[in-house]
Amino acid sequence: MAFTDLVFYVFAGIAVFAGIRVISSNNPVHSALYLVLAFFTTAAIWLLLEAEFLAITLVLVYVGAVMVLFLFVVMMLDINLVPLREGFIRYLPVGIAVAGIIVIEMVMVLTARYGDTPAPVPKPADYSNTEELGGVLYTVYVYPFELAAVILLVAIIAAITLTLRRREGTKHQDPAKQVMVKRADRVRLVKMPAEPKK
């Protein structure tokens, strides 16, 4: 076994372990941190495949921005874990069935005739995988790319709409009322007679 194969199996094992801990951890913050570990190990696997741009994009965009946002949201929300655990036994058979189907599909993919893929062909020094990726993305897959952009836009609008709902006991600012405020509404001048100094 070559050294690159050993490195691949180590990183793939860590990624699978991190993925399992993302969905099995009881603490949402721990799940988010395991997802960071899964992103890093996936980026390392992409580096083995000589896809440096994708690896750097995964680390910078997802680990550097999206996961930080996830952690802030998870830590700021007061998540009550007791109701989440109540329906665990009720949905366990469905979860086991879905997990079994996924395992069967993975075995079918890994035991297929193309399961033993060769190592990537070495590229010349002036090869740009960014240019190659952009060419394929904006020609062959331009419609799925645009569809994904629309779906993300709808998700952003939905997230903003969900966070703007009114809750009891919270204070909200009204900029229109703040602009219309006059000095007399905020400041009261009191005239008091001066007392002689003793």
Side-chain angles (χ1 to χ4, degrees):
M1 181 183 344
F3 177 71
T4 54
D5 295 339
L6 178 64
V7 172
F8 169 77
Y9 285 123
V10 168
F11 282 129
I14 295 172
V16 170
F17 167 74
I20 291 171
R21 290 299 294 159
V22 166
I23 60 174
S24 64
S25 180
N26 292 330
N27 191 333
V29 177
H30 292 171
S31 296
L33 292 175
Y34 278 116
L35 191 57
V36 170
L37 178 61
F39 283 153
F40 268 111
T41 52
T42 307
I45 292 173
W46 279 350
L47 283 175
L48 286 176
L49 294 174
E50 298 181 3
E52 295 88 4
F53 176 74
L54 289 176
I56 289 297
T57 303
L58 181 66
V59 171
L60 291 180
V61 174
Y62 283 93
V63 178
V66 176
M67 283 310 304
V68 172
L69 179 64
F70 280 0
L71 282 174
F72 274 121
V73 170
V74 165
M75 288 188 289
M76 289 182 69
L77 291 177
D78 188 17
I79 299 176
N80 189 6
L81 297 176
V82 175
L84 297 177
R85 295 174 185 164
E86 288 176 355
F88 180 76
I89 299 297
R90 184 174 47 179
Y91 297 116
L92 187 61
V94 178
I96 290 174
V98 171
I101 292 171
I102 292 173
V103 168
I104 291 170
E105 290 175 351
M106 294 286 289
V107 169
M108 291 172 64
V109 168
L110 293 176
T111 57
R113 58 180 173 79
Y114 51 83
D116 190 18
T117 55
V121 180
K123 304 292 190 301
D126 60 345
Y127 175 78
S128 172
N129 59 12
T130 309
E131 181 181 354
E132 189 77 20
L133 178 67
V136 173
L137 191 63
Y138 291 111
T139 55
V140 180
Y141 298 105
V142 65
Y143 291 122
F145 182 73
E146 293 295 331
L147 184 63
V150 171
I151 290 172
L152 286 174
L153 179 63
V154 170
I156 290 171
I157 294 171
I160 293 172
T161 305
L162 288 174
T163 56
L164 285 179
R165 65 181 185 270
R166 301 283 178 173
R167 296 186 183 94
E168 293 182 3
T170 58
K171 295 181 180 179
H172 298 279
Q173 294 181 348
D174 189 355
K177 290 182 179 177
Q178 290 176 336
V179 171
M180 294 171 56
V181 141
K182 300 288 189 287
R183 181 180 67 90
D185 299 333
R186 298 295 173 115
V187 178
R188 186 179 62 175
L189 297 177
V190 178
K191 187 173 184 182
M192 297 178 64
E195 296 181 1
K197 194 172 184 181
K198 294 180 182 179

